[in-house]
Amino acid sequence: MTIYSRITGTGSYLPPNRLSNADLVAQLAAQGVDTSDDWIVERTGIRARHFAAPGVFSSDLGLEAARRALQAAGLEAQAIDLIIVATSTPDMVFPSTACILQNKLGANGCAAFDVQAVCSGFVYALTIADAMIKTGAATKALVIGAEVFSRILDFKDRTTCVLFGDGAGAVVLEASSTPGILASDLHADGKHVGILCVPGHVSGGGVLGEPLLRMDGQAVFKLAVGVLDEAARATLAKAGKTEADIDWLIPHQANIRIMQSTARKLKLSMDKVVVTVDQHGNTSAASIPLALDSAVRSGKIKPGETLMLEGVGGGFTWGAVLLTL
Ligand code: ACO
């Protein structure tokens, strides 16, 4: 019998400290940084973001999202035999955030590791979990995207600090006799490392370089629109489907203008695109599962519908997953 993988539960979590654009603009103005609600909304579509409290880590946000996904799937933590956490803001250099989360969840003993593909992390992690389930290496996986990007923002750089937020999303992926994940397509091109990076590292007991996010926004924008379209088309071709088969597009929630361009290229109207960037900004690897969970819980996405998930981010990395819920 062919083994497939299916999403059987979704969950998400945003830390309670919500900053509207007006809140952030006022905080930045107090530090001499000039921006406005109008600029942020017009260029990005972002209206608010959530920041984790001091001492709250990616594993804590991921834990809440994972608990909600498990509850939705009707599973106990002990049933899980694989945990993959996609994050670029891990709790520690090592061990992995997945191991720390596994212990907090009480799923000790199962395989657990992190995936580092920045904002494409969730589609990378989901593809890996799907492959492991199809080979029989796992049967019930938790795939989590969790980030505390507020910790790596330069609040003196208005071109980046208004864009990002903290949060987590999770899915339970289970072995199934009927197809859930239909196809995926992953890529990276390391020659673009410099356009989106946190150019610091730990050495000899200190941090060398700059441990803050640096981005060439226009270069990222141009690359993102092109590669998202390529990844979506490649994934559809692998699954033997066309744009007309997509019920919902769930892109990485970075910027509404990137999402609009992507939808236009795929000839999809914006009412087929799940948009939550306005509520939480760019939460990197957490953004796709956050958007997915919000649309599932609101009843917008229904069982049996076909979803295209698309990620793009630092690396440069990009990819897509087509699935039936
Ligand atoms: N408030 C007010 N003015 C600002 C701000 C701000 N927060 N930021 C920049 N500006 C100014 C600039 O200084 C510039 O002023 P000037 O014309 O006097 O020089 C002007 O606004 C225009 O700046 P641009 O950089 O040309 O603005 P653009 O329209 O390109 O928008 C943005 C910038 C929003 C960053 C856009 O390029 C973008 O969205 N890029 C993609 C970013 C992205 O999605 N990144 C995440 C990738 S995923 C990951 O891996 C993390």
Side-chain angles (χ1 to χ4, degrees), residues 34-36 39-40 43-44 118-120 149 158-159 162-164 196 213 215 217-218 220-221 252 254-255 257-258 282 284 312-314:
D34 178 30
T35 184
S36 67
W39 191 96
I40 301 169
R43 306 285 177 128
T44 72
V118 199
C119 305
S120 310
F149 256 54
R158 67 178 182 174
T159 68
V162 301
L163 304 177
F164 296 90
L196 181 50
L213 187 145
M215 178 173 74
Q218 291 193 2
V220 169
F221 195 107
H252 169 47
N255 180 316
R257 292 189 295 147
I258 296 179
N282 183 344
S284 192
V312 62

Side-chain angles (χ1 to χ4, degrees), residues 6-21:
R6 286 191 81 89
I7 291 176
T8 56
T10 66
S12 61
Y13 179 74
L14 290 165
N17 180 24
R18 178 183 184 274
L19 279 91
S20 67
N21 285 348

Side-chain angles (χ1 to χ4, degrees), residues 132-152:
M132 289 181 71
I133 286 176
K134 282 177 176 157
T135 62
T139 60
K140 290 179 171 51
L142 258 174
V143 184
I144 300 160
E147 303 280 16
V148 284
F149 256 54
S150 60
R151 308 275 158 79
I152 53 168

Side-chain angles (χ1 to χ4, degrees), residues 219-243:
V220 169
F221 195 107
K222 276 184 207 137
L223 262 175
V225 172
V227 298
L228 285 173
D229 189 53
E230 283 168 28
R233 288 181 192 286
T235 308
L236 286 169
K238 285 183 189 176
K241 305 270 185 195
T242 70
E243 298 99 306

Side-chain angles (χ1 to χ4, degrees), residues 30-79:
Q31 298 161 38
V33 176
D34 178 30
T35 184
S36 67
D37 175 49
D38 283 352
W39 191 96
I40 301 169
V41 172
E42 187 197 319
R43 306 285 177 128
T44 72
I46 297 167
R47 293 181 184 276
R49 74 286 296 138
H50 293 242
F51 286 161
V56 173
F57 295 98
S58 289
S59 66
D60 299 307
L61 305 184
L63 177 67
E64 294 304 325
R67 283 187 174 139
R68 291 172 188 189
L70 283 170
Q71 193 178 33
L75 288 180
E76 297 294 328
Q78 294 74 20

